[in-house]
Amino acid sequence: MNNPVAVNIHKVNTLVIIAPHQRLAFIKPIGLLVLLFLTLGSSYATELTASPIATKHTAIKLESSHMWITIGDHRFKATLANTSAAREFAAMLPLTLDMDDLNSNEKHAELPKSLSTDPYQPVTINNGDLMLWGSRTMVVFYKKVNTSYSYTRIGHIDDTSGLSQQLGQGDVTLIFTKSAN
């Protein structure tokens, strides 16, 4: 005799008549499908929650977006971070900023307009880091420093040889230009 089996899938009730010897054959594929969906859903949820955190604190995501920073007769190549702020900053180029010295480790200047922010606390900032403090203050670090402040990453100067000598002498003018990559 056939026994009715009620299956409740996402609030949809279905009445299935299954012979006793067919129950296992029916339940096993459904169980495997449920297990597959749970596994895929778990992987997708992990990716959604882990990826932004992992990339947010990564120094620079690999990409090919560059710019040049000219200080007097010296030119430095910089790699832009994969952030909205970095893309918005690049769209403003060419840009000349008269930058003031602060704490003998950084230069800062107010940008012509606000940029998107995605602040995080880096703890340690390295020589050559390009950061946004608040939504309008561009900061170029020329010495490694520990910090409790939060910044939005703009990029990093690729080769910092001579950077401290160029920036460590009071206020200075920096010219940011686009790179042909």
Side-chain angles (χ1 to χ4, degrees):
M1 173 167 192
N2 292 339
N3 295 327
V5 175
V7 178
N8 186 351
I9 301 175
H10 300 290
K11 298 183 181 179
V12 176
N13 291 318
T14 307
L15 183 62
V16 181
I17 308 270
I18 303 173
H21 65 281
Q22 292 176 329
R23 281 189 200 153
L24 186 56
F26 173 75
I27 293 172
K28 190 173 183 180
I30 295 296
L32 289 174
L33 269 173
V34 169
L35 182 61
L36 175 67
F37 286 127
L38 288 174
T39 304
L40 290 175
S42 174
S43 297
Y44 182 70
T46 301
E47 181 181 325
L48 286 178
T49 58
S51 293
I53 293 167
T55 57
K56 186 174 184 177
H57 299 291
T58 302
I60 303 243
K61 189 172 182 173
L62 295 176
E63 61 175 53
S64 60
S65 191
H66 296 91
M67 69 177 169
W68 290 103
I69 301 172
T70 305
I71 308 164
D73 294 336
H74 294 83
R75 193 164 100 153
F76 298 90
K77 187 175 185 181
T79 300
L80 292 166
N82 188 20
T83 63
S84 295
R87 288 185 288 278
E88 292 168 16
F89 181 76
M92 295 168 60
L93 303 182
L95 181 66
T96 300
L97 295 175
D98 293 323
M99 302 190 84
D100 300 324
D101 193 71
L102 183 64
N103 302 322
S104 299
N105 63 17
E106 65 187 76
K107 300 294 185 200
H108 68 95
E110 192 83 3
L111 294 172
K113 67 178 188 172
S114 295
L115 302 179
S116 298
T117 62
D118 187 17
Y120 77 102
Q121 186 180 5
V123 181
T124 300
I125 297 177
N126 293 302
N127 177 18
D129 280 349
L130 309 171
M131 303 289 219
L132 181 66
W133 185 71
S135 64
R136 286 190 70 174
T137 304
M138 177 66 168
V139 184
V140 178
F141 288 88
Y142 60 92
K143 289 185 183 173
K144 185 176 182 176
V145 62
N146 291 331
T147 186
S148 60
Y149 293 103
S150 293
Y151 297 90
T152 298
R153 184 166 297 287
I154 298 292
H156 186 79
I157 295 172
D158 297 350
D159 180 1
T160 58
S161 302
L163 182 65
S164 292
Q165 292 78 13
Q166 293 302 309
L167 292 180
Q169 305 165 8
D171 301 343
V172 67
T173 299
L174 278 75
I175 302 169
F176 299 85
T177 54
K178 293 182 181 184
S179 171
N181 288 330

